[in-house]
Amino acid sequence: MTTNKEMQARRESSVARGAANITQFYAEKAVNAEVWDVEGKRYIDFAGGIGVLNVGHLHPKVVAAVEAQLHKLMHTCFHVMPYEPYIALAEKLNDITPGKHAKKTLLLNTGAEAVENAVKIARAATGRSAVIAFNGAFHGRTMMGMALTGKIVPYKQGFGPFPAEVYHAPYPNAYYGVSAKDSLDAVKNLLKTDVDPGRVAAIIIEPVQGEGGFYQAPADFMQSLRALCDEHGILLIVDEVQSGFARTGKMFAVEHSGVTPDLICMAKSLAGGMTLSALVGNAELMDVPGPGSIGSTYGGSPMACAAALATIEVIEEEGLIERSNEVGKLITSRFLAMKEAGLTSIDHVRAAGGMIACELFDEKGDPNPDLAKQLVAKATANGLLLLSCGTFANTIRVLVPLTASNALIEEGLDIMERCLREL
């Protein structure tokens, strides 16, 4: 039998150090919200592949769709010889994304690609070059993605210089003293002091920040941002890579605000574990770039499209939007109960549907990233896959598959509570 120690030795000798691993346990198989490593140990999955598995590992409907497509067509490149699954998925995404206006879709591979192409289209459509993003944002690891990302370590350190004309404003976060008004005023100040509004192609925002700490932009802020964009002819791009596909109690997190974006980026749980991303936007905007100017060799592969169509069906048929809210209430109630029962390091419990977080603090009330790191490691050793995040690296986030049973979620929370008490 292969051991985790043997796998780790092979990894260290053959894989780039920068492609970091949270654990040194190696996955062998998985189903729904459970994973088994190469030694046969079981783990409850509260990470979901960093938000990729809203419908769980190997959902039977997704597996069946991929298998059926596998026997028909694996790859031709959509740009060489197109195929129906790409078109069917584009039609579906045009239908389910916010707004009743005419829309068109571009399929790609990663969230970073979706973001890159959103910026390209915004620049082409407006004839402008500048982009405004927010502190704490994460938009990918490409050069433009890193430029837009609002955190240096570990994403940007040592990789500059980055593309020019990218500006950052504080993300609204009342808990840390940044009100919606403060954030909006900061954006307006950028337009007065740093960049002419007539040069700004787009403002890009995560309606709920992912790597930044699961903070949700207030609805009134999103509405004011939409109005500001309209005032100056700026396009509004929303990054739903981590918050999309029922995770927040809506199909897309921006729906909580009632705002309709010009362009929406998505990936992760779009295809139930297959590699796929999408950019959906106003049809007129999406058609500005000429033929051949945007695209991807592998983007919108037949199998990934089949998986995505099946994933959306699962979300709709199994009521996972409603289930997301149930999961959020279950987990936040347990976090609050842990705090009431003496785990005073826990604070700022929050959730947007099933996008759930709490923060860990020390005795002085300062963010405690060391405790968060220790908890993630100890939980994993005890059979719970857990993630941390946030500007201060003290946030514990939960992205458990929405198909997980209450009993399994409670079992995972028991492990987390026990580990935190021991620490």
Side-chain angles (χ1 to χ4, degrees), residues 88-387:
L89 179 57
E91 291 170 337
K92 186 66 176 178
L93 293 176
N94 294 340
D95 181 56
I96 67 173
T97 45
K100 298 301 181 184
H101 56 287
K103 287 173 266 184
K104 288 192 175 182
T105 289
L106 172 68
L107 299 180
L108 302 150
N109 300 286
T110 67
E113 277 188 277
V115 168
E116 290 272 339
N117 280 275
V119 172
K120 286 165 64 176
I121 290 172
R123 285 176 166 175
T126 62
R128 306 172 180 183
S129 52
V131 183
I132 295 174
F134 290 88
N135 298 346
F138 180 80
H139 295 295
R141 298 176 188 268
T142 58
M143 295 306 287
M144 178 55 74
M146 286 189 291
L148 296 168
T149 290
K151 185 177 181 181
I152 299 296
V153 180
Y155 307 116
K156 303 170 73 167
Q157 192 171 45
F159 294 135
F162 302 109
E165 294 197 89
V166 173
Y167 303 86
H168 286 87
Y171 190 88
N173 185 340
Y175 187 81
Y176 284 103
V178 182
S179 69
K181 182 179 184 302
D182 292 334
S183 184
L184 188 66
D185 286 346
V187 175
K188 291 179 178 178
N189 189 59
L190 282 176
L191 300 179
K192 290 180 180 178
T193 63
D194 284 11
V195 58
D196 181 349
R199 290 192 58 80
V200 179
I203 296 176
I204 184 168
I205 187 169
E206 297 163 279
V208 182
Q209 286 196 329
E211 298 296 312
F214 282 27
Y215 304 110
Q216 184 171 12
D220 60 345
F221 174 79
M222 293 296 295
Q223 292 159 8
S224 297
L225 201 62
R226 173 75 273 181
L228 185 68
C229 287
D230 291 342
E231 177 185 351
H232 295 291
I234 298 169
L235 301 183
L236 180 62
I237 303 170
V238 296
D239 181 336
E240 294 266 7
V241 170
Q242 193 164 154
S243 60
F245 296 96
R247 177 49 62 180
T248 68
K250 298 282 187 182
M251 185 62 86
F252 297 99
V254 72
E255 294 179 74
H256 290 285
S257 68
V259 165
T260 300
D262 298 295
L263 298 163
I264 180 168
C265 306
M266 61 195 76
K268 290 193 181 283
S269 275
L270 166 59
M274 296 290 287
T275 302
L276 186 66
S277 68
L279 174 63
V280 182
N282 179 290
E284 186 176 348
L285 295 175
M286 294 293 288
D287 277 346
V288 169
S293 60
I294 54 175
S296 167
T297 299
Y298 293 105
S301 79
M303 290 183 293
C305 289
L309 288 163
T311 295
I312 295 168
E313 285 186 17
V314 170
I315 290 171
E316 294 173 343
E317 293 172 359
E318 298 188 12
L320 294 188
I321 291 175
E322 294 78 10
R323 174 62 180 160
S324 180
N325 289 313
E326 294 170 1
V327 168
K329 290 175 183 177
L330 171 63
I331 295 175
T332 54
S333 67
R334 276 294 302 273
F335 283 175
L336 291 169
M338 291 180 200
K339 180 179 173 65
E340 287 294 317
L343 288 173
T344 54
S345 57
I346 294 176
D347 199 14
H348 198 197
V349 175
R350 56 193 180 276
M355 201 168 179
I356 309 134
C358 66
E359 294 188 45
L360 300 180
F361 297 87
D362 62 20
E363 297 83 356
K364 297 181 291 185
D366 295 327
N368 196 339
D370 291 337
L371 180 58
K373 185 176 181 179
Q374 292 169 23
L375 176 59
V376 168
K378 191 174 184 65
T380 303
N382 283 271
L384 174 67
L385 297 178
L386 201 59
L387 296 172

Side-chain angles (χ1 to χ4, degrees), residues 46 331 334-335 338 409-417:
F46 272 21
I331 295 175
R334 276 294 302 273
F335 283 175
M338 291 180 200
I409 293 172
E410 293 278 13
E411 184 183 350
L413 291 167
D414 289 342
I415 294 171
M416 176 181 164
E417 181 172 3

